[in-house]
Amino acid sequence: MKNKIIFIAVSLMVAGSCSVEETSVVPEEAPEPSKIANVPDNAEHGVLIAKFDAGFVPQLEAMERTALLTKSAPEAPTPELESLFNELGVISCSRVFAKDDRNEKETRAAGLHRWYLLKFDRDKDLKAAAEALAQVAEVSIVQFNNKPVRTFDGQRAAFRDEPHPSTKAFTPYPFNDPYLFWQWHYINNADQAISNTSREGADVNVAPAWKLTGGDPRIIVAVLDEGVKYTHPDLAANMWTNPDPDPEMNDIHGYNFVDNCDIEWTREGNVGHGTHVAGTIAAVNGNGIGVCGIAGGTGKGDGVRIMSCQIFSGDDSAGDARAAVAIKYAADHGASILQCSFGFEAGQARYDNAFEAANPLEVEAMRYFMSKKNCDAIDGGLIFFSSGNEGAPMSGYPAAYRDYISVTAFAPDFLPAYYTNYGPGCNISAPGGEINGHSGGERAAILSTVVSEIDAADYGYMQGTSMSCPHASGVAALGLSYALQKGKSFTREEFQNMILTSVNDLNCYLDDEVKTTGSTIKLMDYYGQMGTGAIDAYKLLMQVEGTPCLNVPVGKAYRASLAGFFGGGAKDLTYIGVEVPDEAREALGIEGTPKIYEGELQIKCSRTGCGKIKVSAIAGGNRVGSDVVMGGIPVTKEVAIVSRTSQSANGGWL
């Protein structure tokens, strides 16, 4: 039976197809110093989170041990502690992050063992309890266990599996997945069936990257979202499998931190969001069915792995405590990338200190994740968040936080999507799709895997920064895979910098015109506000291997200085020549032979593409030394040419 495709247009208040409204973030003006981090507008009844001073923790640990022993056990809580908890009405007290001998040393070094979950009667006045707890000298922080609320404004419509119209320009596709030609966000050749305003190159430029690597199963991406359908025919082979599952948790492919049980995806209120996100990162490539994933492999079992850390289930969600546990779980079980398509509405917090003050537990869990070295290619974890969908001139948090990568969204016309947040806090852009106002309708959105139990389909379209975010994390996963292949290793900061500079220019399209799709936007408002540019998978792989990229505009004779490549004396060197392999000439449409004049490379490319050329010069003199001639040493440098309809303002060099 053929796989069906469903169209899912989900317009969100925050990110992608799920939004999080959470009022626990402090206001713009810094509050008076307080031990109470947030407000209980959406707090779980009968629960408070507290961080205790390190010197007080042994008493709490003794109490926990006592709860597991008989009444005659010699380890009893001190009378002072027992009296304190009786006075506060505490029914039970347990660590937020359960003890695990495999990583307890790291947990304690990070101070995460100091966080405790205190339970009260459900009718207890939590605000009064928090105020009383804050008076205790040994308490450092009190946090209400708020639960994010998702707000949906979506519609679904069936999409027939039909042949591609004849307007499609010829493109050789690297894999046999039948719906890859609808994934313009990977390979955009200005297909009019997608949109009559499609722009060639408005994609993540993954096709040439796939020639170098398709992924590596040693790279694990943790998807904090709805549960990922791990039995999906296009995801099952690339799901992470726990080598040492907890018999009580049954955490084979991850865990449901909302319901404390196995991952689920069919509860009423689910929309297949986590499954859609996972497909963009690692749907299996080359298996002859469905779609492709950015780091989904080459059909040889070599895709990156998806770990499902479920923090949304139906209309319910994990509270702050369980969300933090999910983050730490990902760190302790090998994830190198945290994919988070959710966040607060833009403007609820406007600076990092405000976010930190209101969400201390989650911030500490994120720092723990960033500190974990889970693969040889990088010494810490990378965190990606969607910037938000309010069309606000700033990123929402947590995306805007300085240590996380905030991803904005563009459409197949290479222009900002009408819904995307932009401006301060936004770091990079990726395809997010845009349905309204495009001739192809839903085809201008993002095609990926969905849940057939919900939509009677295995594939569907969604739009939002929720969709742009996994494009960025998928490209990062591909880059780490290539680093492993090349035997390269980077610090977290180094690799993050490489991601943020592996981009194509967006500003060249942002002028005084307006764009009218889902709403009317002034393009000039987005100039310099979409992060560093549009993420480019091939450029990231070039940075990994140490090959510089030269950005060349299509259809124009272009001159670029070689000083950044051959040094400050480049204009005075004697150049032997430029070697252009047939593959590069064909891919780029290079006309004639590139020339070098006074240290400038002169080249013209007639089509969008990527390819490597070699430039040779003489170090010392104007001729090469030999047995009978005194001369210099030949120096050959490889340059990756990336031709696009846009040109970066930095003179072309990356």
Side-chain angles (χ1 to χ4, degrees), residues 219 221-223 277 280-281 294-295 304 306 337-341 382-385 405 407 428 430 466-480 495 499 535 540:
I219 303 300
V221 181
V223 175
V277 164
T280 296
I281 299 167
I294 292 175
V304 303
I306 295 293
I337 296 173
L338 206 62
Q339 156 61 39
C340 310
S341 283
L382 298 166
I383 300 176
F384 292 83
F385 273 95
I405 296 176
V407 188
I428 201 166
S466 268
M467 282 58 256
S468 60
C469 189
H471 279 83
S473 58
V475 168
L478 199 67
L480 290 178
F495 199 82
I499 293 169
I535 194 166
L540 178 59

Coordinates of all heavy atoms in Angstrom, one line a residue, residues 219 221-223 277 280-281 294-295 304 306 337-341 382-385 405 407 428 430 466-480 495 499 535 540:
I219 N 26.6 9.7 16.6 CA 26.1 11.0 16.9 C 24.6 10.8 17.3 O 23.8 10.3 16.5 CB 26.2 12.0 15.7 CG1 27.7 12.1 15.3 CG2 25.6 13.3 16.1 CD1 28.6 12.6 16.4
V221 N 21.1 12.6 18.6 CA 20.4 13.8 18.8 C 19.1 13.5 19.7 O 18.3 12.7 19.3 CB 19.9 14.4 17.4 CG1 19.1 15.7 17.6 CG2 21.1 14.6 16.5
A222 N 19.1 14.2 20.8 CA 17.9 14.1 21.7 C 16.8 15.1 21.3 O 17.1 16.3 21.3 CB 18.4 14.3 23.2
V223 N 15.6 14.6 21.0 CA 14.5 15.4 20.6 C 13.6 15.6 21.8 O 12.9 14.7 22.2 CB 13.8 14.7 19.4 CG1 12.5 15.6 19.1 CG2 14.7 14.6 18.2
V277 N 9.7 16.5 13.5 CA 11.0 17.1 13.8 C 12.1 16.0 13.6 O 13.2 16.3 13.0 CB 11.1 17.7 15.2 CG1 12.5 17.9 15.7 CG2 10.3 19.0 15.3
T280 N 13.1 15.3 9.9 CA 14.0 16.3 9.3 C 15.4 16.0 9.6 O 16.3 16.2 8.8 CB 13.6 17.7 9.7 OG1 12.3 18.0 9.3 CG2 14.5 18.8 9.2
I281 N 15.7 15.6 10.9 CA 17.0 15.3 11.3 C 17.6 14.0 10.7 O 18.7 14.0 10.2 CB 17.1 15.3 12.8 CG1 16.7 16.6 13.4 CG2 18.5 14.9 13.3 CD1 16.5 16.5 14.9
I294 N 18.3 15.0 7.0 CA 19.6 15.7 6.7 C 20.7 14.8 7.1 O 21.7 14.7 6.3 CB 19.6 17.0 7.5 CG1 18.6 18.0 6.9 CG2 21.0 17.6 7.4 CD1 18.5 19.3 7.6
A295 N 20.6 14.1 8.2 CA 21.7 13.2 8.6 C 21.2 11.8 8.7 O 21.6 11.0 9.6 CB 22.3 13.7 10.0
V304 N 22.6 9.2 11.7 CA 22.7 9.6 13.2 C 21.5 9.0 13.9 O 20.5 8.6 13.3 CB 22.7 11.1 13.4 CG1 23.9 11.7 12.6 CG2 21.4 11.8 13.0
I306 N 18.3 9.1 16.8 CA 17.3 9.9 17.4 C 17.0 9.3 18.8 O 16.5 8.2 18.8 CB 16.1 10.1 16.6 CG1 16.4 10.8 15.3 CG2 15.0 10.8 17.3 CD1 16.8 12.2 15.4
I337 N 23.6 16.5 20.9 CA 22.8 17.6 20.4 C 21.5 17.5 21.1 O 20.8 16.4 21.1 CB 22.7 17.6 18.9 CG1 24.0 17.8 18.2 CG2 21.7 18.6 18.4 CD1 24.0 17.6 16.7
L338 N 21.0 18.7 21.6 CA 19.7 18.8 22.2 C 18.8 19.6 21.2 O 19.1 20.8 20.9 CB 19.8 19.5 23.5 CG 18.7 19.2 24.6 CD1 18.7 17.7 24.9 CD2 18.9 20.0 25.8
Q339 N 17.8 19.0 20.7 CA 16.9 19.6 19.7 C 15.6 20.0 20.4 O 14.8 19.2 20.9 CB 16.6 18.7 18.6 CG 15.3 18.9 17.8 CD 15.2 20.3 17.2 OE1 16.1 20.8 16.6 NE2 14.0 20.9 17.2
C340 N 15.3 21.4 20.5 CA 14.2 21.9 21.3 C 13.4 22.9 20.5 O 13.7 24.0 20.4 CB 14.8 22.6 22.5 SG 16.0 21.7 23.5
S341 N 12.3 22.4 19.9 CA 11.4 23.3 19.2 C 10.2 23.7 20.1 O 9.1 23.4 19.9 CB 10.8 22.5 17.9 OG 11.8 22.5 16.9
L382 N 25.7 20.5 22.2 CA 25.1 21.7 21.5 C 23.6 21.7 21.7 O 23.0 20.7 21.7 CB 25.4 21.6 20.0 CG 26.9 21.6 19.6 CD1 27.0 21.1 18.1 CD2 27.5 22.9 19.8
I383 N 23.1 22.9 21.9 CA 21.7 23.1 22.2 C 21.1 24.0 21.2 O 21.5 25.1 20.9 CB 21.4 23.6 23.6 CG1 22.0 22.7 24.6 CG2 20.0 23.8 23.9 CD1 21.9 23.1 26.1
F384 N 20.0 23.6 20.5 CA 19.3 24.3 19.5 C 17.8 24.6 20.0 O 17.1 23.7 20.4 CB 19.2 23.6 18.2 CG 20.6 23.5 17.5 CD1 21.4 22.5 17.9 CD2 21.0 24.4 16.5 CE1 22.7 22.3 17.2 CE2 22.2 24.3 15.9 CZ 23.1 23.2 16.3
F385 N 17.4 25.8 19.8 CA 16.0 26.2 20.1 C 15.4 27.0 18.9 O 16.1 27.7 18.2 CB 15.9 27.1 21.4 CG 15.8 26.4 22.7 CD1 17.0 26.1 23.4 CD2 14.6 25.9 23.2 CE1 16.9 25.4 24.6 CE2 14.5 25.3 24.4 CZ 15.7 25.0 25.1
I405 N 21.7 28.1 20.5 CA 21.5 28.6 19.2 C 20.1 28.8 18.9 O 19.3 27.8 18.9 CB 22.2 27.6 18.2 CG1 23.7 27.5 18.4 CG2 21.9 28.1 16.7 CD1 24.4 26.5 17.5
V407 N 17.2 29.7 16.2 CA 17.0 29.5 14.8 C 15.7 30.2 14.3 O 14.6 29.9 14.7 CB 16.9 28.0 14.4 CG1 17.0 27.8 12.9 CG2 18.1 27.2 15.1
I428 N 20.8 32.3 13.7 CA 21.0 31.7 12.4 C 19.7 31.4 11.8 O 18.7 31.3 12.5 CB 21.9 30.4 12.5 CG1 22.6 30.1 11.1 CG2 21.1 29.2 13.0 CD1 23.7 29.1 11.2
A430 N 17.2 29.0 8.9 CA 17.0 27.8 8.2 C 15.6 27.7 7.7 O 14.7 28.5 8.1 CB 17.3 26.6 9.2
S466 N 9.7 25.8 14.6 CA 9.8 24.4 15.0 C 10.4 23.6 13.9 O 11.1 22.5 14.2 CB 8.5 23.8 15.4 OG 8.2 24.0 16.8
M467 N 10.2 23.9 12.7 CA 10.7 23.2 11.5 C 12.1 23.6 11.1 O 12.9 22.9 10.6 CB 9.7 23.3 10.4 CG 8.4 22.5 10.4 SD 7.4 22.7 11.8 CE 7.8 21.3 12.8
S468 N 12.4 24.9 11.3 CA 13.7 25.4 11.0 C 14.7 24.9 12.0 O 15.9 24.6 11.6 CB 13.7 27.0 10.9 OG 13.4 27.5 12.1
C469 N 14.3 24.8 13.2 CA 15.3 24.3 14.3 C 15.9 23.0 14.0 O 17.1 22.8 14.0 CB 14.6 24.4 15.6 SG 15.7 24.1 17.0
P470 N 15.1 21.9 13.6 CA 15.7 20.7 13.3 C 16.6 20.7 12.0 O 17.5 19.8 11.9 CB 14.6 19.7 13.2 CG 13.4 20.6 12.9 CD 13.6 21.8 13.6
H471 N 16.4 21.6 11.1 CA 17.3 21.7 10.0 C 18.7 22.1 10.5 O 19.7 21.6 10.1 CB 16.8 22.8 9.0 CG 15.7 22.3 8.1 ND1 14.4 22.3 8.4 CD2 15.8 21.9 6.8 CE1 13.7 21.8 7.4 NE2 14.5 21.5 6.4
A472 N 18.7 23.1 11.5 CA 20.0 23.5 12.0 C 20.7 22.4 12.8 O 21.9 22.1 12.7 CB 19.8 24.7 12.9
S473 N 19.9 21.7 13.7 CA 20.5 20.6 14.5 C 20.8 19.4 13.6 O 21.8 18.7 13.9 CB 19.5 20.2 15.6 OG 18.3 19.8 15.1
G474 N 20.1 19.2 12.5 CA 20.5 18.1 11.6 C 21.8 18.4 10.9 O 22.6 17.5 10.7
V475 N 22.0 19.7 10.5 CA 23.2 20.1 9.8 C 24.4 19.9 10.8 O 25.5 19.4 10.5 CB 23.1 21.5 9.3 CG1 24.5 22.0 8.9 CG2 22.2 21.6 8.1
A476 N 24.1 20.3 12.1 CA 25.2 20.1 13.1 C 25.5 18.7 13.3 O 26.7 18.3 13.4 CB 24.7 20.7 14.4
A477 N 24.5 17.8 13.3 CA 24.7 16.4 13.4 C 25.6 15.8 12.2 O 26.4 15.0 12.4 CB 23.4 15.6 13.5
L478 N 25.3 16.3 11.0 CA 26.0 15.9 9.9 C 27.5 16.4 10.0 O 28.4 15.7 9.6 CB 25.4 16.5 8.6 CG 25.7 15.9 7.3 CD1 25.2 14.4 7.2 CD2 25.2 16.7 6.1
G479 N 27.7 17.6 10.5 CA 29.0 18.1 10.7 C 29.8 17.3 11.7 O 31.0 17.0 11.4
L480 N 29.2 16.9 12.8 CA 29.9 16.1 13.8 C 30.2 14.7 13.2 O 31.3 14.1 13.5 CB 29.1 16.0 15.0 CG 28.9 17.2 15.9 CD1 28.0 16.9 17.1 CD2 30.3 17.7 16.4
F495 N 33.1 24.5 17.6 CA 32.2 23.9 16.6 C 30.9 24.8 16.5 O 30.4 25.0 15.4 CB 31.8 22.5 17.0 CG 31.2 21.7 15.9 CD1 32.0 21.1 15.0 CD2 29.8 21.6 15.7 CE1 31.5 20.4 13.9 CE2 29.3 20.9 14.7 CZ 30.1 20.3 13.8
I499 N 29.4 26.4 13.0 CA 28.0 26.4 12.6 C 27.5 27.8 12.2 O 26.9 28.0 11.1 CB 27.1 25.8 13.7 CG1 27.5 24.3 13.9 CG2 25.7 25.9 13.3 CD1 26.8 23.7 15.1
I535 N 21.9 28.7 7.1 CA 22.8 27.6 7.3 C 23.1 26.8 6.1 O 22.2 26.6 5.3 CB 22.3 26.8 8.5 CG1 23.4 25.9 9.0 CG2 21.1 25.9 8.1 CD1 23.1 25.2 10.3
L540 N 29.7 23.9 6.3 CA 30.1 23.4 7.6 C 31.1 22.2 7.4 O 32.1 22.1 8.1 CB 28.9 22.9 8.4 CG 29.2 22.3 9.7 CD1 30.0 23.3 10.6 CD2 28.0 21.8 10.4

